[in-house]
Amino acid sequence: MAAITAAMVKELRDKTGAGMMDCKTALSAVDGDIEAAIDWLRTKGLAKAAKKAGRVAAEGLVAVALSGTTGVVAELNSETDFVARNTDFQALASNIAKVALEKGDDVEALKAATYPTGSTVDEAVANAIATIGENMTLRRVAQLKVSAGLIGSYVHGAVADGLGKIGVIVALESTGKQDELAALGRQLAMHVAATNPVALDLASIDPEILAREKAILAEKNAGKPAHVLEKITESGLKSYAKEYCLLEQAYIHDGSKSVGQVLKEIEGKVGAPVALTGFARFALGEGIEKEEQDFAAEVAAAGGTTG
């Protein structure tokens, strides 16, 4: 029997989209013949994933999972919204988020992690593609942890527990009362879902973004004295922070206060200092270019006409 090398397994996987163990099994079954292994996988229904890999997957689900002081939000994409209602797809998204609680938010490392069935996460996705018949992509994952306190969460447009169109997690560091923190965490997560902040505060914003904002302010006020421009820039950045920085935003549940003020005020109820140390917000399909479909052309093609 021919020796099955890692390079052979990789080549077969690249050609078929099948899982690594399936590729190794196929190669072993046909004595290392790549083309025969492709046929072997096709007969088993495991090479279907490759045919679908080029299709745009911008639908699907955002999954949220919590365990103790750790929280995860993950996005698993599919081609159509219909698949998001498939219970097998829902279980896949939910299980991947649970695996990420332990493995973290490195997507490639997560794909190689062990899925509850014993395969890898990547193989579980490939098998779902073959079974359900649509391209799927594990797009991104975010994980938050606190040493004391909890991770608050909110799922918008939920189709099942922890699964929906928008998923948010927020990290609250505190030794205070858990019930008060839990209520606050959900309210803050709802706020993040509604306002989509860029960062916690100005100090957390990408320096390139801040530099661009300063350049815009400078261009708008070109010709003014340096000390005047400095004050204008400072004021402009404060306005920017109130719109895009979570701690400075007007709280959606009480517009008379900022999120930062709400955190300070609730410390009395919680019985200890409360720090909002991080957040993650995933909206399904954001940033993915969807293919424009000409419905009339599709109907004409299905009917054998070209218009």
Side-chain angles (χ1 to χ4, degrees), residues 85-109:
R85 298 190 291 275
N86 180 296
T87 55
D88 290 337
F89 183 82
Q90 291 176 4
L92 178 65
S94 182
N95 284 333
I96 288 173
K98 290 173 184 175
V99 173
L101 282 169
E102 180 183 349
K103 296 301 180 181
D105 52 15
D106 182 314
V107 172
E108 293 308 312

Side-chain angles (χ1 to χ4, degrees), residues 12-49:
L12 182 58
R13 190 182 187 198
D14 289 343
K15 287 185 175 182
T16 64
M20 287 186 292
M21 291 306 298
D22 290 326
C23 289
K24 188 174 182 180
T25 301
L27 287 165
S28 298
V30 297
D31 201 28
D33 186 317
I34 294 288
E35 294 305 316
I38 292 173
D39 291 341
W40 188 93
L41 288 168
R42 289 180 64 191
T43 63
K44 302 293 184 181
L46 298 172
K48 293 180 181 180

